[in-house]
Structure formats: C-alpha cells, structure tokens
Amino acid sequence: MALRYYAYQGFHDINPIPHLHNEFEIYISLNHKGKFFLQDVEYPLKVGSLFIIKPFEIHHCFDNIKEETT
C-alpha cells in the first residue's frame, strides 16, 4: 500500500475545487480554519480537525485564515 502526504501552508484556499480520489484520504488541519465540504455536507474547519475521506467521496475546502490575520 502506498502512502502519500501533502502539506499546505500560507494564505490560500486549499483544494477549492470539488474533487475525488480512488484511495482513502486522511485530512488533518494543522493551521487552517474555514469550511470543509464532504459530499453535500459542510463542516467547520478548525485547527485539529480530522476527516477520513473514503474513496470516490467528493470533497473540497476553503480556509479563511486571511480574514483572521488582518
């Protein structure tokens, strides 16, 4: 089994376009706040949020860290 990871930092929208994968994804928010969309449900995204996304589940998220730093 292959394991890949991605780390995002800075002031940008993370995966703002709905997408899916053919493998599981574990998403942990280390420094972002905003909204996380999984299928048709919106969840609050905050530091420490954990999402386990099943294969072929449509998801995307937006951070609002820009608003909090101004």
Side-chain angles (χ1 to χ4, degrees):
M1 174 167 67
L3 179 64
R4 292 181 279 168
Y5 79 93
Y6 303 91
Y8 300 97
Q9 292 180 321
F11 310 116
H12 65 281
D13 287 330
I14 315 157
N15 294 321
I17 299 171
H19 63 281
L20 53 84
H21 311 278
N22 62 354
E23 65 270 336
F24 278 91
E25 178 178 344
I26 299 172
Y27 184 95
I28 303 169
S29 178
L30 300 177
N31 63 350
H32 292 95
K33 297 179 181 179
K35 298 176 183 178
F36 192 92
F37 299 87
L38 182 58
Q39 299 291 79
D40 293 327
V41 181
E42 177 183 318
Y43 298 94
L45 178 65
K46 55 188 176 183
V47 176
S49 294
L50 171 69
F51 297 93
I52 299 175
I53 303 147
K54 297 176 187 173
F56 305 106
E57 285 188 319
I58 298 171
H59 59 283
H60 66 287
C61 59
F62 295 95
D63 73 20
N64 63 0
I65 197 167
K66 291 177 277 200
E67 297 169 10
E68 296 177 5
T69 58
T70 57

